[in-house]
Amino acid sequence: MTWLPVLAGAALILFILRDVFHTIWHPTRHGGLSRLVMLGVWRLSAHRGPRLRPVGLAGPVGMMTVVTVWAFVIAVGWGLIYWPHMPDDFSYAPGLVPADHAGPVDALYVSLVTLATLGLGDIAPTSQWLRILAPVEALVGFALLSATVAWVLGIYPALARRRALALRLSHLGRNRLTVEVLDSDGGAVLLDGLASVFATVTVDFLQYAESYYFYDGQESISLAARLRDAVDLAERAERARHPDVRLSASVLRTALDDLATVLDERFLRTGGPSDEVFRAYASDHGRSWTGARHGP
């Protein structure tokens, strides 16, 4: 029955590698395990109030937890492959009794040492196929480390773009732009620029879905808190007489609807119109949807 743990180990390894692929390298999919871990950390962070400290750690802690789970499950998978072949297919350093170091904990130890590329050498494979398999595990460990660095380097620029958009909306909201002010060529340019940035942020939510679980501390840089400003701006611009402004307002409204679709399909599951989705988004991030309104 030695093949049972081997098959179980291989299944665990393939499951995690698939999750890593869909989370980091697939541009429009999201790994199932990583999503559950991030969502679990988000829910446990007690984020219902904007001043609660734990919510600010939800995103970073969630990513660290995901990487830890990936590494541990991969190590367990390889350990299950090694275990049935211990101690016969392994060599032991002097002072170690092979029969006393052939259990599942020892197999996990060998796997962790190999995955971390430490290469301590006190327990090493001797059969040919295991001597090939062990370096493969080390390569997987190195690839996992590289993928984690790439993941982090991708998440934080996406967060910066989202927060910059929120700050821009905060600036516009505080200036109380009226229909008369927007009814000009400059108003059309302003709306077109906002629609373009919203398209970029929508792609960020698709490609870096984990960024949703990062809490934006100040209200001025929280997109969940400032979306109402964008909706109000589009509504006012739609009443303008200038045809270019009305066209730009329609494009901005479409960009907002696309963002609402992504937020609802990936995270919120309200099934409602854009305003309802944005209200749920604000609530999920501890923000007030009604508090962002400015101007007539």
Side-chain angles (χ1 to χ4, degrees):
M1 300 293 287
T2 59
W3 55 273
L4 284 177
V6 172
L7 288 179
L12 286 176
I13 294 168
L14 292 176
F15 172 73
I16 293 300
L17 292 180
R18 177 187 179 278
D19 195 74
V20 172
F21 174 78
H22 282 305
T23 300
I24 299 178
W25 289 305
H26 200 294
T28 58
R29 294 290 299 275
H30 189 52
L33 178 61
S34 60
R35 179 184 181 278
L36 290 176
V37 172
M38 293 293 295
L39 180 60
V41 173
W42 178 251
R43 297 303 183 204
L44 289 173
S45 64
H47 60 280
R48 291 302 177 185
R51 296 182 180 179
L52 294 179
R53 288 182 178 271
V55 69
L57 299 175
V61 170
M63 290 184 68
M64 291 175 58
T65 304
V66 168
V67 174
T68 301
V69 170
W70 282 343
F72 181 74
V73 175
I74 286 178
V76 170
W78 245 283
L80 288 173
I81 295 175
Y82 296 147
W83 180 28
H85 304 280
M86 298 179 72
D88 297 337
D89 292 331
F90 286 81
S91 63
Y92 292 78
L96 293 179
V97 180
D100 295 338
H101 296 278
V105 175
D106 301 284
L108 180 61
Y109 161 75
V110 173
S111 179
L112 287 171
V113 167
T114 306
L115 185 67
T117 66
L118 294 178
L120 298 181
D122 53 346
I123 304 177
T126 55
S127 63
Q128 292 184 353
W129 73 277
L130 285 177
R131 292 177 65 187
I132 294 175
L133 190 65
V136 171
E137 183 184 8
L139 288 174
V140 169
F142 180 76
L144 182 61
L145 175 61
S146 302
T148 300
V149 173
W151 193 26
V152 173
L153 293 178
I155 285 286
Y156 282 95
L159 291 174
R161 289 188 289 269
R162 187 176 81 196
R163 290 164 179 169
L165 172 59
L167 188 59
R168 176 64 167 162
L169 292 173
S170 177
H171 294 161
L172 295 174
R174 281 181 283 171
N175 277 275
R176 304 177 183 274
L177 301 180
T178 63
V179 176
E180 290 73 18
V181 173
L182 291 171
D183 200 1
S184 64
D185 291 338
V189 172
L190 172 65
L191 296 171
D192 285 337
L194 285 178
S196 177
V197 179
F198 267 110
T200 301
V201 170
T202 300
V203 172
D204 285 337
F205 276 119
L206 283 170
Q207 190 159 354
Y208 304 105
E210 296 77 18
S211 64
Y212 176 89
Y213 303 107
F214 279 73
Y215 180 79
D216 304 311
Q218 298 178 6
E219 187 165 317
S220 61
I221 61 171
S222 172
L223 185 61
R226 304 261 60 98
L227 273 174
R228 183 60 183 267
D229 290 326
V231 173
D232 290 346
L233 189 64
E235 289 177 351
R236 290 196 293 273
E238 287 169 347
R239 301 196 300 268
R241 293 188 301 271
H242 199 300
D244 290 345
V245 174
R246 293 199 303 272
L247 175 60
S248 298
S250 177
V251 174
L252 176 58
R253 172 68 71 175
T254 302
L256 288 168
D257 290 340
D258 287 345
L259 175 61
T261 298
V262 171
L263 289 174
D264 201 41
E265 290 180 350
R266 292 224 161 194
F267 312 104
L268 299 169
R269 313 288 184 181
T270 68
S274 296
D275 282 358
E276 183 179 340
V277 173
F278 292 151
R279 187 176 292 107
Y281 178 42
S283 176
D284 201 32
H285 281 252
R287 302 297 184 180
S288 173
W289 171 250
T290 58
R293 192 178 184 91
H294 294 280

